[in-house]
Amino acid sequence: MTLPEFHLKYNRAALGCLLFFIGTPLALLLFWRLAPSSWILRFELQNQMGRMAYDTSRSAGPEAVPILQKYLAHQNPGTRFITISATGAYIDSHQGSSQPLITALCQLAQHDASLSVQQHSIIVLRSVSGTSTEVDLTAVKLMHHQDETIRTAAKELLLIRITRGIDLSPEVCTVREQLRPALERADPESCAAKILKAFLEECGPAQNE
């Protein structure tokens, strides 16, 4: 009598393990295929699944904005860091509905306690492809930051925006002389150098006072 009971218990345990190993991947597959993208994004950010959150953000709708805002303010700097990347993916694909996220990134770039988060925020602001006084003023302010890596990232952000031909805020001309060395190092025949030269000339000495 003892032997059959043992086999019965053993078979039940084996069946339970089998269902677990089959059911768990199936449940995850159904979750990723059927759940709203906002649920998926929240799950990925909670679990710091950076690459997946990046991909989800690119295809998500406006419902992703409050989720990204929430995790940009997360107490864990690692979570903020991967959320910044996901936010850049969203901005790149959804310029029209990204203003709240642009504002959040500008705040992180200026005030976050982590220098790596600040620097990453500045780099991701390159995703903003249109006119933005907020981005311009943030970069100008950070050109005077005490940390060299932050100043360099801010300078590169402005140079990228200039050479893209974006209509920039007049305040960018106040850091004209800090941008000039980039022109001196560039190939004078390159398109980027010509655009930068034209911008610096348009600033004029009076605007640089």
Side-chain angles (χ1 to χ4, degrees):
M1 190 67 179
T2 304
L3 189 59
E5 288 180 354
F6 171 78
H7 280 297
L8 182 60
K9 291 178 181 178
Y10 177 81
N11 289 337
R12 284 178 176 172
L15 180 60
C17 290
L18 181 63
L19 290 174
F20 174 80
F21 285 115
I22 294 176
T24 300
L26 181 60
L28 289 174
L29 178 62
L30 290 174
F31 174 72
W32 259 277
R33 290 182 66 88
L34 302 177
S37 59
S38 57
W39 293 12
I40 295 172
L41 181 59
R42 184 182 292 109
F43 177 85
E44 290 166 345
L45 293 174
Q46 283 177 346
N47 293 279
Q48 298 196 6
M49 301 164 71
R51 179 69 252 185
M52 298 180 74
Y54 182 94
D55 292 338
T56 300
S57 294
R58 291 191 68 85
S59 58
E63 68 277 1
V65 172
I67 296 169
L68 290 167
Q69 286 180 293
K70 175 182 177 180
Y71 284 93
L72 285 172
H74 198 279
Q75 63 181 0
N76 186 332
T79 299
R80 295 199 300 277
F81 194 93
I82 67 165
T83 306
I84 289 167
S85 297
T87 299
Y90 183 89
I91 292 172
D92 191 51
S93 300
H94 306 78
Q95 296 285 328
S97 59
S98 295
Q99 185 54 51
L101 298 175
I102 294 170
T103 296
L105 286 181
C106 287
Q107 291 300 311
L108 288 176
Q110 295 180 64
H111 305 299
D112 198 89
S114 167
L115 280 177
S116 63
V117 168
Q118 283 188 280
Q119 184 181 13
H120 194 40
S121 298
I122 300 167
I123 292 171
V124 168
L125 282 170
R126 298 175 186 178
S127 302
V128 182
S129 61
T131 301
S132 175
T133 299
E134 192 169 18
V135 172
D136 296 340
L137 294 182
T138 294
V140 168
K141 180 178 179 180
L142 292 173
M143 290 278 283
H144 304 288
H145 197 277
Q146 61 183 0
D147 186 88
E148 184 178 357
T149 61
I150 299 299
R151 294 197 304 271
T152 299
K155 182 189 298 184
E156 290 175 352
L157 172 60
L158 284 179
L159 289 171
I160 288 171
R161 289 179 62 74
I162 291 169
T163 55
R164 284 177 177 171
I166 297 170
D167 186 17
L168 301 182
S169 169
E171 281 79 6
V172 175
C173 287
T174 64
V175 293
R176 174 191 183 198
E177 294 308 313
Q178 290 168 265
L179 299 173
R180 185 177 294 281
L183 177 62
E184 295 169 352
R185 293 191 299 268
D187 177 0
E189 298 303 316
S190 69
C191 182
K194 291 177 180 178
I195 294 172
L196 178 57
K197 181 180 179 181
F199 174 82
L200 295 175
E201 290 175 348
E202 287 173 6
C203 278
Q207 290 178 284
N208 198 42
E209 297 297 328

